[in-house]
Each structure stands twice: as structure tokens, then as C-alpha cells.
Amino acid sequence: MSYIWIDNQSVTGTGEPYQVRAPWSGELLVDFNQASSTQIDAAIASSERAFPGYAQTPLYQRCDWLLKLVELLANASEELAKLIAQEAAKPIRDARGEVFRAIATFRLAAEETVRSGDGEYLNLDRTAAAHGRSAIVKHFPRGVILGITPFNFPLNLVAHKVAPALAAGCTIVLKPAPQTPLTALRLAELVAKAGFPPGVLQVIPCDGKTIEPFVSDPRIKFVSFTGSALVGWKLRKLADVPVALELGGNGAVLIDETADLEFAVKRCLIGAYSYAGQVCISVQRIFVVETRYQEFIKRFKDAVNTLQLGNPLDERSDFACLISEAAAIRVEEWIAEAKAGGASILVRGNRVGNRLGQSLLIDVPHNCRLAQEEVFGPVCWVAPVSDWKAGINAIEDSKYGLQAGYFTTDLKRVLAAFEQLHVGGLIAGDIPTFREDSYPYGGVKLSGSGREGVRFAMQEMMELRTLVLPAQ
């Protein structure tokens, strides 16, 4: 198998040599050449040629192809889960969950396809100047989409670029993360097998420097990026077209005196340490009203100590290694910085290479990176707050605004928090790590712009046109 996908064919890359290794074992998975600038140019040209015909494809045909893809993904679900576990070091249980979500995402896209052609009729007879006139408003696909995805959800985050593009009638050139190209390439094979024409989906594994000049390519009509804030905002400056940015966060949870503490502990454990914290909506900050703080700390510390770091293919593993040793070293340095500033470490995770155990801290200083930035590792910290209002203020004290969680039984407090918090999503009674693939998902402040969620992503990938009809 070659490792570039252009025109529904696997081709050999002519760019820089690259190796994909399993993060857990170090096993060499593939040794290949990435896509060159010439091949990326050819992929965009192919997608541009394919766009007019694909945009005119009947809605029912697009829907049928997507439903066939759902069937193929379901049949290949265990294969895909093992591939994700291998190349991304995601525990197999979580990998299966990711495949399930990706299948649901493509099913949602099939459903939205048949609605995407619906327009709106407007009666303009509201002023004397428009007497007798009316209008039709309708969405049309923009053209070629450039999708750029990270390593941590190599199937479902790819699905959130590919599925809405296919449903909207756009063609898409996808650059997967260098660490995890294999899942995206397997998806491309299934897309072709489902019946989608050549040029509709291209997959071009390459590094950031190689793809960067193409962000401003006039043939690209929309850019959808998921990744770091540093890279995302840079790309937005380069692009001359609309850009959707799904960036990082500094996920926070508030637990007030009305909360079910046992449930909150269980959910925060999942939110903070699943996939070794390598999730943009991972729980990093936990604020607990002081009347429940000591009880929560005791329960949560005991629960954190039960977690098992292990081989991602082992059904018993709660989490595995980080994506690289450099990532593990950085997290370790941030913990040391917090400790030097006065933090206490209740649970310390030892590091061997890229394997870093779980850590839990309290008394974290406000000015350290662990408090201010996205750690993307198996660590979180807990702090007491005087009351729920102080907790809302603590969550808000961040330059990021992706999602937040609030454990309470008081609906009035939830509504007040919803009005005050500058976040893309507030999850009542649960952790910020919750995401359902149909709702509008994205952040504010430094966490991004635009929204994912199939219907909402489709709207961003389409342009609104108005036809004004003559007076009758």
C-alpha cells in the first residue's frame, strides 16, 4: 500500500521520507514518503475538477453513498479500532467508542444531505419599494475544502471534516496528522468503495510547512482546522477565505454543594485521564465549593490511584502513553513548575519515555502554565471556591473558552452560568469532555471560531445566495 490518496487511488509519495511508529511499542508501522508540494497541487487540481459534477449530484445519491459508507465503517469497526489503538496509542475501549462516534457522524451527514437543498421563500412586500416582489434563499456548496486534523481522534475528527463536506456537495483535500495517517487513508478507501467519485476526497499526509502555502491557494474555498491555537491563528491570517478553527482549551468543572459527589468523582476521573488527557475538552481544572472540597479530594484521590496505565490493546488499560516522549517531558516540566510555585502533588505519575502516569495536584499557583495553558496530559488540579458564583468566576478566568462542566441540581444556577460564561458549550450535570456529534461544537476567545457538528459545519461549508423575483 502506498500512502497518498489521490483520485480514488493509492499512490507513492514523492516528498520527504517519514516513519509512523506505534507510540506504545515503538514498532515501525510504515516507512513512506510524504506528499510533495507537486502532489498536493495535483490533489487540489483534481478536487477542483471534480467539484462541479459532484455539486450537481442529486441529494438522494449523496445520501445513498453516505449510508453505504456507514455500512462499510460498521463492518470494519474492529479493524479501525485496532488501527487507532496502534497508531494513536488510544486504549482499545476508547478506540471502539471513537469508531462508533464516527459512524454516527456519517449517519448524521446522510440525514442532513437530503435537507441541505431546502431553501426559504421570503415575501418582500414589506415596503413600497418592494411591492409585489419575493425572494428565494438557498445554500450552495463553496467548492474545494482544505481539512487539517490532529492525532488524537484520527477517525472522528477526520469525519467531522469529511462528512459535512461530502454531504454539502463540496470536495475535500485532507491533511491528517503526521503521527496518525493510516486511519484517514483507510477511511479514504472506504469512501471510494461506497461509490463516491474520484477527486471528492484526497488524503495527503505531509508536514505543516509543506501544506502551509496552500492555505492561501485561490482554488481552496474554505479551511477547516483542528489543532493548536498557535498554528490555527497563524493559518487564519494566511487564508483569504473563511476559516473554521477548533482549537485547544483549559477545561474546567464546577462542583457545588447540591451535586452528587459520587457521580462527579466518577465523571471527572474519566474527563481528566481518558486517553492520557490528550483531548481538547479534557478536565484540567476542578473547582469545588469549600463545604464539599475535603470530601471530594479524598474520594477523587482514591479513584485516581486506581487507574491503570498499560498497552492500548489491553482491554484492562485505562490509558496508555502520550503520543511522544517530547510531549511527556513537557507535561512533566509543567508539573515541576507548578510544584516549584507552591503546588502540592497528591498523586505523582512517574515517567519512562513517553509513558507518564497520572498526576493530581492542589494549591496550583495562578501564574504557572498548568493553570493557564492546555496541558494535554494525564494531570489535573483541584481548588476550593467559596460558593458557586466564585466558581463561575474562576472558570471564566481563562483566555480559552471551549467547554465547561457544572455539577449542580439548581437549574437557576445553570442558567446564570450559561449567561455569564464565555465558552462554546456548557455541560450541565457533567464534564466538559462530553460531546455529541450533532450539536454546534467549538470555542470562543483563543479556543477558536466557527462551529463543527454536522449541520452547522455544512452551513459554514456552503454559501447563501438570494434570488429576488420580479413583481407579479
Side-chain angles (χ1 to χ4, degrees):
M1 177 182 177
S2 301
Y3 295 98
I4 314 295
W5 188 264
I6 299 177
D7 279 338
N8 281 4
Q9 294 183 44
S10 184
V11 301
T12 301
T14 58
E16 292 296 314
Y18 191 79
Q19 293 183 336
V20 177
R21 292 186 177 273
W24 176 260
S25 66
E27 174 192 356
L28 178 63
L29 300 179
V30 295
D31 190 345
F32 72 110
N33 287 78
Q34 295 183 330
S36 64
S37 294
T38 300
Q39 288 178 309
I40 297 171
D41 182 79
I44 295 173
S46 169
S47 288
E48 186 182 40
R49 287 192 302 270
F51 169 69
Y54 184 65
Q56 294 300 316
T57 303
L59 299 180
Y60 73 84
Q61 179 65 79
R62 276 187 243 156
C63 178
D64 287 349
W65 285 334
L66 282 163
L67 289 174
K68 179 61 177 177
L69 179 57
V70 166
E71 178 186 340
L72 293 171
L73 286 167
N75 291 338
S77 60
E78 189 63 14
E79 171 204 343
L80 288 164
K82 289 179 178 177
L83 185 57
I84 292 168
Q86 195 171 26
E87 72 169 345
K90 179 168 288 189
I92 188 66
R93 292 175 297 173
D94 295 332
R96 291 189 185 108
E98 180 177 347
V99 175
F100 175 82
R101 286 181 58 191
I103 292 170
T105 298
F106 281 104
R107 184 179 291 111
L108 286 167
E111 295 170 0
E112 292 298 336
T113 297
V114 294
R115 288 190 280 267
S116 65
D118 294 345
E120 184 177 359
Y121 174 84
L122 301 178
N123 186 345
L124 303 182
D125 195 8
R126 302 180 186 188
T127 65
H131 176 72
R133 291 183 179 270
S134 58
I136 297 172
V137 181
K138 189 176 177 182
H139 284 90
F140 292 84
R142 291 185 184 275
V144 182
I145 307 296
L146 175 60
I148 303 175
T149 55
F151 73 85
N152 57 333
F153 284 83
L155 182 60
N156 198 42
L157 288 183
V158 166
H160 275 282
K161 313 299 183 191
V162 175
L166 299 184
C170 296
T171 56
I172 179 167
V173 177
L174 176 77
K175 190 203 92 65
Q179 305 97 321
T180 56
L182 303 182
T183 305
L185 288 161
R186 183 69 181 109
L187 173 64
E189 292 177 341
L190 296 176
V191 167
K193 189 175 181 180
F196 287 92
V200 171
L201 169 63
Q202 325 276 21
V203 180
I204 43 143
C206 65
D207 58 31
K209 290 182 179 179
T210 305
I211 196 64
E212 192 173 291
F214 293 96
V215 172
S216 57
D217 191 302
R219 296 169 295 179
I220 299 296
K221 303 305 181 186
F222 184 80
V223 178
S224 181
F225 173 86
T226 299
S228 73
L230 180 66
V231 175
W233 293 114
K234 179 183 178 181
L235 294 181
R236 185 174 183 180
K237 290 180 180 179
L238 294 174
D240 296 324
V241 295
V243 178
L245 299 176
E246 199 276 277
L247 308 177
N250 188 359
V253 166
L254 172 60
I255 302 170
D256 74 14
E257 72 279 6
T258 73
D260 179 340
L261 218 54
E262 182 179 353
F263 180 69
V265 166
K266 177 182 177 181
R267 294 297 292 161
C268 286
L269 188 71
I270 293 171
Y273 300 104
S274 288
Y275 193 40
Q278 297 173 117
V279 182
C280 56
I281 42 178
S282 180
V283 173
Q284 187 168 331
R285 302 176 292 154
I286 303 176
F287 300 104
V288 187
V289 292
E290 54 191 7
T291 56
R292 309 294 300 279
Y293 177 71
Q294 292 298 334
E295 183 184 0
F296 177 83
I297 284 291
K298 181 181 184 306
R299 290 191 183 196
F300 193 58
K301 178 183 175 182
D302 289 345
V304 171
N305 276 317
T306 67
L307 294 173
Q308 296 297 313
L309 184 158
N311 189 323
L313 290 170
D314 188 335
E315 301 280 352
R316 298 167 295 180
S317 297
D318 295 307
F319 68 103
C321 59
L322 271 71
I323 195 66
S324 68
E325 184 173 11
I329 290 172
R330 178 189 56 77
V331 175
E332 192 177 45
E333 289 174 347
W334 286 23
I335 293 171
E337 177 189 62
K339 185 176 185 298
S344 298
I345 301 176
L346 301 185
V347 179
R348 180 189 295 273
N350 295 319
R351 183 182 68 83
V352 178
N354 64 346
R355 302 178 188 184
L356 179 64
Q358 65 271 32
S359 294
L360 172 63
L361 287 76
I362 59 173
D363 303 323
V364 170
H366 184 265
N367 60 349
C368 72
R369 285 176 290 181
L370 188 58
Q372 295 292 324
E373 302 293 341
E374 180 182 44
V375 65
F376 229 59
V379 54
C380 72
W381 53 273
V382 188
V385 289
S386 58
D387 58 22
W388 70 273
K389 292 182 180 179
I392 296 300
N393 291 333
I395 292 175
E396 181 66 9
D397 185 18
S398 175
K399 60 187 175 183
Y400 296 101
L402 191 46
Q403 292 199 153
Y406 184 10
F407 288 89
T408 184
T409 59
D410 191 324
L411 181 58
K412 289 184 179 179
R413 294 181 182 183
V414 169
L415 295 175
F418 186 50
E419 293 291 333
Q420 182 178 339
L421 286 173
H422 291 84
V423 292
L426 175 62
I427 314 300
D430 212 336
I431 51 178
T433 324
F434 175 84
R435 179 183 179 183
E436 207 287 323
D437 297 289
S438 62
Y439 73 71
Y441 172 80
V444 297
K445 298 192 276 190
L446 288 187
S447 288
S449 62
R451 290 294 179 268
E452 289 189 343
V454 176
R455 175 163 66 93
F456 304 94
M458 287 174 66
Q459 290 172 357
E460 303 217 18
M461 293 177 178
M462 303 176 85
E463 56 191 16
L464 198 62
R465 299 181 196 169
T466 302
L467 172 62
V468 178
L469 301 172
Q472 300 300 313

